[in-house]
């Protein structure tokens, strides 16, 4: 993986306005110095998602999501850290000098770049052919027959793939694209036995071409629609999977429609690309279409990030019903509310809009039914629900679907609705759900766990106190690092966050530095740190920090003593092992005793109105005790070695 220098990472983070960045995806409202909105990572009705411009971080009190601007992009757009840095660097106009140390990654990046270039050029070429070339007359006639205006063809950069291989080859030659590259891009296919060809040949021939773009508008593949009515080939042919294209990870048109979906808080899902284009061209812009029938968890996650409701607008035949059912099982577990808008028999969005106008289509969308009502409607028309056994079987099917709903309120409403419509006591239906919930049901059908954030083990109270004070005040941070007592961290649990600030040498009391530092820690740690940052500033300052460190040290010593004592009780120990343990036990007991005495004396020294002679005596004693304590402590450290258990 290419590595980006740390200075650049920090520079990019400093140049990024986190409120502006997150505000593009989440509606934010100002609250004091911070901003709040509905969390894009879990389903909620009241905002618990906080963005803190001063700390350059975000945190959700509901689901615990949190981190810096990179983390937000990574989780929200499902991209890698390096991609997130690059994207923000680009927006901030910062050039990234990568320290490339992985030849493989470099090669992959090159291939990616070359493939994007081929696609970009091919889009233009296909489009030009469609609009101007005489070879594309059939294609233009087809557009006309589907009432697709030249403007729409231009907006979507539709194109035409000619039937002859030599045209493609001439173009490639002119553009200096190699045959190998065209094969990798999927524009050329290798000869195989079925085709009966001896040479590579164009995959798309005499087809209307739709560029398939990723979320950022880059063309990464093509979908070609057959023009020859007699042809036996598939109606739609997509590019094969390539290093830049995976069918299960892309929505057709999402780059254009995601903003409208976010704004409407609702996504209309159509089956075909033309459905999507026609709806979009007619002003219904919150539409997407998966490529083919494959609806994946990736698609569901994408939609969930920017909206709370999905309206499935599939064909009203049996295949459409099945497709809706499948889509529901993938969408519901993400917390999305799923509705179905059945169109009149034999119509799809494209034909309906062209035949009856967009207003009629919008009416159908407006009348979308809750998914369960849709299922009930379909069943009452197609199944004999007056028969007890059939009704009970259907209730069982519904029960396993209800389980998928990742929202208690929605689920409860569905339960009541279903019981009422099936004329069934609610309790009985609930029992059926409980039965369906048993692990014996197939794993793919059981409810997916709600999205949870990874988390650290519970943190020690004193460690957190120290951690928070160190982040709040540079003086405390420097003092902590100068104490030279890091060994405390080795023998205590729940000190992960404290270890983070202690072991780093960066000035983490500076918010911008801390935000950048978050990119170097694990996701669990990033989430935990941002959670701490979201709490009110710690009180107590240096005094509280010193006290917390003392407490930690005491806890560590007691811990060590307990471990030794447990070991001593083991019967199977060899005599020399036993002797060693007993020596250690003695030493620890002595250190703890010294420590307590020392603290006692220190308390006495602080007493007001102490006679001078008494004061002098106490101070002398304190010094002697401290020296002895430190000697013993050093002895212990030697005993434990540099890597104590
Ligand atoms: Zn959340």
């Amino acid at each position: 993986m290419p590595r980006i220098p740390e200075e650049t990472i920090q520079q990019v983070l400093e140049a990024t306005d986190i409120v502006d960045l997150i505000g593009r995806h989440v509606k934010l409202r100002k609250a004091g110095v911070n901003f709040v909105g509905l969390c894009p990572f879990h389903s909620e009705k009241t905002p618990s998602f906080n963005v803190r411009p001063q700390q350059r971080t975000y945190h959700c009190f509901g689901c615990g999501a949190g981190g810096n601007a990179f983390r937000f992009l990574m989780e929200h757009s499902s991209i890698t850290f390096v991609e997130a840095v690059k994207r923000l660097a680009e927006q901030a106009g910062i050039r990234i000098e990568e320290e490339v140390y992985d030849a493989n990654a470099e090669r992959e990046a090159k291939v990616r770049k070359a493939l994007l270039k081929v696609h970009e050029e091919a889009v233009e070429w296909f489009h030009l052919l469609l609009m101007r070339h005489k070879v594309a007359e059939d294609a233009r006639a087809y557009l006309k027959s589907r009432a697709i205006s030249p403007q729409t063809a231009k907006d979507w950069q539709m194109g035409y793939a000619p039937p002859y291989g030599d045209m493609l080859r001439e173009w490639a030659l002119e553009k200096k694209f190699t045959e190998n590259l065209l094969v990798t891009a999927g524009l050329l296919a290798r000869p195989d036995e079925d085709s009966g060809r001896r040479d590579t040949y164009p995959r798309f021939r005499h087809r209307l071409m739709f560029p398939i773009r990723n979320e950022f508008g880059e063309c990464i593949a093509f979908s070609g629609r057959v023009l020859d009515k007699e042809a036996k080939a598939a109606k739609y042919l997509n590019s094969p999977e390539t290093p830049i294209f995976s069918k299960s990870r892309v929505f057709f048109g999402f780059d254009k429609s995601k903003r409208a979906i976010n704004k409407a808080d609702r996504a209309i899902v159509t089956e075909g690309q033309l459905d999507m284009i026609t709806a979009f061209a007619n002003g219904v812009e919150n539409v997407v279409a998966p490529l083919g029938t494959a609806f994946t968890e990736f698609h569901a996650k994408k939609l969930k990030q920017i909206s709370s409701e999905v309206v499935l607008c599939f064909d009203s035949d049996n295949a459409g019903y099945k497709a809706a059912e499948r889509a529901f099982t993938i969408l519901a577990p993400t917390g999305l509310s799923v509705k179905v808008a059945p169109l009149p028999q034999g119509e799809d969005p494209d034909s309906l809009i062209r035949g009856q106008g967009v207003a009629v289509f919008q009416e159908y969308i407006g009348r979308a039914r809750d998914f369960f009502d849709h299922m009930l409607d379909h069943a009452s028309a197609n199944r004999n629900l007056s028969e007890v056994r059939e009704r009970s079987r259907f209730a069982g099917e519904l029960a396993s679907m209800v389980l998928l709903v990742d929202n208690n309120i929605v689920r409860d409403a569905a339960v009541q609705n279903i019981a009422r419509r099936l004329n069934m006591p609610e309790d009985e239906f609930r029992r059926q759900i409980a039965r369906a919930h048993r692990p014996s049901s197939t794993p793919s059908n059981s409810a997916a766990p709600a999205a949870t954030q990874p988390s650290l083990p519970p943190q020690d109270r004193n460690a957190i106190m120290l951690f928070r004070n160190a982040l709040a005040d540079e003086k405390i941070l420097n003092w902590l690092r100068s104490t030279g007592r890091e060994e405390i961290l080795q023998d205590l649990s729940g000190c992960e966050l404290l270890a983070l600030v202690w072991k780093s040498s960066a000035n983490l009391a500076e918010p911008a530095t801390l935000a950048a530092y978050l990119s170097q820690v694990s996701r669990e740690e990033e989430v935990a740190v941002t959670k701490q940052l979201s709490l009110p500033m710690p009180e107590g300052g240096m005094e509280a920090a010193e006290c917390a460190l003392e407490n930690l040290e005491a806890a560590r010593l007691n811990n060590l003593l307990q471990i030794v004592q447990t070991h001593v009780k083991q019967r199977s120990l060899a005599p020399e092992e036993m002797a060693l343990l007993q020596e250690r036990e003695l030493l620890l007991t002595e250190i703890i005793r010294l420590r307590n005495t020392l603290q006692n004396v220190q308390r006495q020294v602080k007493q007001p109105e102490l006679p001078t002679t008494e004061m002098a005596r106490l101070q002398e004693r304190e010094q002697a005790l401290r020296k002895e304590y430190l000697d013993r402590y050093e002895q212990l450290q030697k005993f434990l070695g540099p890597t104590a258990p």
Side-chain angles (χ1 to χ4, degrees):
M1 222 172 73
R3 218 179 59 187
I4 300 170
E6 267 156 43
E7 310 87 74
T8 315
I9 291 175
Q10 183 155 352
Q11 206 188 348
V12 172
L13 215 48
E14 271 169 35
T16 300
D17 181 344
I18 193 167
V19 175
D20 178 58
L21 171 74
I22 296 180
R24 277 178 244 161
H25 307 278
V26 179
K27 256 176 243 160
L28 293 174
R29 158 171 73 73
K30 200 158 174 25
V33 292
N34 298 328
F35 290 79
V36 294
L38 292 175
C39 178
F41 303 111
H42 85 281
S43 161
E44 63 175 6
K45 291 272 180 276
T46 48
S48 47
F49 182 78
N50 279 252
V51 182
R52 306 193 154 68
Q54 287 171 345
Q55 296 167 349
R56 297 166 197 276
T57 57
Y58 67 95
H59 173 72
C60 172
F61 289 97
C63 67
N68 61 18
F70 301 134
R71 172 64 57 192
F72 181 82
L73 266 191
M74 286 159 71
E75 311 228 313
H76 193 269
S77 305
S78 307
I79 58 178
T80 65
F81 173 69
V82 173
E83 286 171 325
V85 176
K86 283 185 180 167
R87 186 141 298 144
L88 290 182
E90 210 174 292
Q91 286 170 11
I94 294 170
R95 226 172 79 86
I96 292 185
E97 311 266 0
E98 284 177 19
E99 302 166 6
V100 177
Y101 64 88
D102 184 337
N104 251 342
E106 197 184 6
R107 204 173 319 118
E108 272 169 29
K110 260 192 185 151
V111 170
R112 225 186 112 79
K113 212 171 150 190
L115 286 174
L116 286 174
K117 179 78 184 153
V118 171
H119 279 87
E120 190 191 313
E121 293 281 351
V123 168
E124 264 184 47
W125 184 58
F126 288 145
H127 182 61
L128 210 69
L129 291 179
L130 175 69
M131 304 308 266
R132 304 244 180 95
H133 205 284
K134 63 177 187 307
V135 79
E137 257 160 28
D138 281 359
R140 286 193 291 271
Y142 175 78
L143 290 186
K144 209 171 245 170
S145 75
R146 299 293 296 245
I148 297 170
S149 71
Q151 185 58 47
T152 303
K154 199 171 154 220
D155 288 346
W156 292 83
Q157 290 277 292
M158 290 178 198
Y160 173 71
Y164 321 111
D166 46 359
M167 282 182 78
L168 181 68
R169 282 177 205 285
E170 266 168 42
W171 166 78
L173 200 69
E174 186 197 321
K175 296 285 173 191
K176 300 193 173 65
F177 293 140
T178 63
E179 181 169 53
N180 252 339
L181 185 59
L182 294 190
V183 170
T184 313
L187 289 174
L188 278 181
R190 285 198 194 287
D192 53 52
E193 287 180 9
D194 295 345
S195 70
R197 293 164 201 264
R198 287 167 43 220
D199 259 332
T200 53
Y201 60 98
R203 176 182 308 273
F204 301 101
R205 298 180 305 281
H206 191 45
R207 280 177 184 263
L208 182 65
M209 301 294 280
F210 299 94
I212 297 170
R213 297 176 188 279
N214 62 18
E215 214 184 313
F216 313 108
E218 297 165 323
C219 178
I220 52 172
F222 288 98
S223 179
R225 194 193 189 284
V226 77
L227 287 167
D228 190 349
K229 280 195 194 99
E230 271 83 62
K232 288 193 192 102
K235 196 161 143 193
Y236 281 95
L237 178 68
N238 293 329
S239 295
E241 304 271 308
T242 70
I244 55 169
F245 172 56
S246 164
K247 192 165 95 169
S248 62
R249 294 177 74 86
V250 67
F251 267 130
F252 183 77
F254 194 56
D255 59 309
K256 289 192 169 56
S257 62
K258 65 178 177 186
R259 210 156 299 139
I261 292 172
N262 191 8
K263 207 169 151 211
D265 198 24
R266 166 196 258 196
I268 300 168
V269 179
T270 66
E271 272 180 292
Q273 291 147 35
L274 264 180
D275 294 328
M276 195 227 152
I277 291 176
T278 305
F280 196 92
N282 284 278
V284 183
E285 295 189 349
N286 54 327
V287 210
V288 282
L291 292 174
T293 49
F295 207 96
T296 65
E297 271 158 39
F298 179 84
H299 290 127
K301 210 176 136 202
K302 276 277 156 207
L303 293 182
K304 175 68 182 89
Q305 283 170 356
I306 55 169
S307 61
S308 55
E309 185 180 285
V310 166
V311 177
L312 303 173
C313 195
F314 295 168
D315 290 353
S316 27
D317 54 10
N318 208 34
Y321 177 79
K322 285 275 167 220
E325 219 177 43
R326 259 200 315 277
F328 175 84
T329 60
I330 294 165
L331 289 164
T334 64
L336 278 164
S337 135
V338 183
K339 291 188 172 172
V340 182
L343 300 184
Q345 205 72 39
E347 299 269 18
D348 57 32
D350 175 53
S351 66
L352 186 70
I353 293 172
R354 280 189 294 122
Q356 302 183 41
V358 72
V360 174
F361 174 66
Q362 270 168 325
E363 251 171 59
Y364 277 99
I365 296 295
R367 269 186 266 142
R369 306 266 279 153
D370 172 76
F371 176 78
F372 289 108
D373 279 318
H374 171 70
M375 258 187 106
L376 286 156
D377 291 349
H378 186 265
S380 27
N382 295 287
R383 296 166 78 154
N384 183 9
L385 292 183
S386 58
E387 199 197 313
V388 179
R389 265 171 63 190
E390 183 63 6
R391 193 167 64 216
S392 146
R393 190 178 308 145
F394 180 53
E397 289 166 29
L398 284 167
S400 61
M401 300 293 256
V402 168
L403 270 175
L404 295 172
V405 177
D406 180 43
N407 180 323
N408 290 336
I409 300 167
V410 175
R411 189 164 53 215
D412 260 3
V415 168
Q416 286 168 15
N417 181 27
I418 292 168
R420 187 179 50 77
R421 286 195 55 180
L422 284 180
N423 253 330
M424 195 176 186
E426 205 179 300
D427 283 348
E428 196 185 319
F429 185 53
R430 283 188 195 279
R431 275 196 295 279
Q432 207 145 12
I433 293 174
R435 278 198 295 278
H437 193 37
R438 292 215 186 105
S440 62
S441 65
T442 54
S444 64
N445 253 7
S446 62
T452 49
Q453 290 291 324
S455 58
L456 290 179
Q459 296 293 289
D460 180 278
R461 199 170 47 84
N462 284 300
I464 284 294
M465 175 60 100
L466 207 48
F467 161 83
R468 286 163 53 79
N469 273 294
L471 285 189
D473 185 345
E474 193 183 338
K475 262 190 283 179
I476 297 179
L477 181 66
N478 291 335
W479 159 79
L480 178 67
R481 288 172 182 167
S482 70
T483 56
R485 284 151 83 181
E486 277 177 56
E487 72 276 354
I488 289 177
L489 299 169
Q490 287 173 6
D491 308 304
L492 284 176
S493 57
C495 288
E496 286 83 356
L497 288 185
L498 178 60
L500 218 75
V501 295
W502 202 334
K503 288 179 178 163
S504 157
S505 56
N507 178 13
L508 301 181
E510 157 68 29
T513 310
L514 178 62
Y517 181 67
L518 289 181
S519 292
Q520 295 175 30
V521 303
S522 74
R523 176 148 175 252
E524 290 83 347
E525 289 165 341
E526 185 171 0
V527 164
V529 172
T530 41
K531 182 179 169 197
Q532 288 299 330
L533 291 177
S534 69
L535 302 172
M537 288 292 272
E539 284 172 18
M542 185 60 102
E543 205 173 314
E546 279 173 347
C547 176
L549 185 64
E550 289 305 320
N551 291 342
L552 279 176
E553 194 167 275
R556 174 199 181 221
L557 292 170
N558 284 323
N559 245 356
L560 285 173
L561 183 60
Q562 255 179 26
I563 293 170
V564 171
Q565 285 169 342
T566 326
H567 277 233
V568 167
K569 281 188 195 128
Q570 283 173 358
R571 294 182 183 185
S572 54
L573 287 174
E576 57 271 30
E577 271 182 299
M578 183 57 112
L580 206 68
L581 277 174
Q582 280 169 341
E583 195 185 334
R584 193 182 289 190
E585 184 181 2
L586 217 66
L587 181 59
L588 275 164
T589 319
E590 178 65 7
I591 289 176
I592 292 172
R593 189 192 62 79
L594 275 169
R595 204 190 139 82
N596 289 340
T597 322
L598 179 62
Q599 278 180 342
N600 244 331
V601 172
Q602 282 169 337
R603 231 169 285 138
Q604 288 175 36
V605 170
K606 280 187 193 142
Q607 272 174 21
E609 293 161 37
L610 215 57
T612 336
T613 49
E614 179 68 3
M615 176 68 113
R617 192 187 68 80
L618 281 173
Q619 279 174 340
E620 203 174 307
R621 182 156 158 66
E622 185 191 350
Q623 238 171 8
L625 275 167
R626 186 189 299 278
K627 186 177 176 312
E628 198 181 348
Y629 175 73
L630 290 177
D631 283 350
R632 288 300 171 99
Y633 196 85
E634 205 176 315
Q635 210 179 333
L636 175 75
Q637 279 314 116
K638 272 191 204 138
F639 219 132
L640 296 173
T643 49

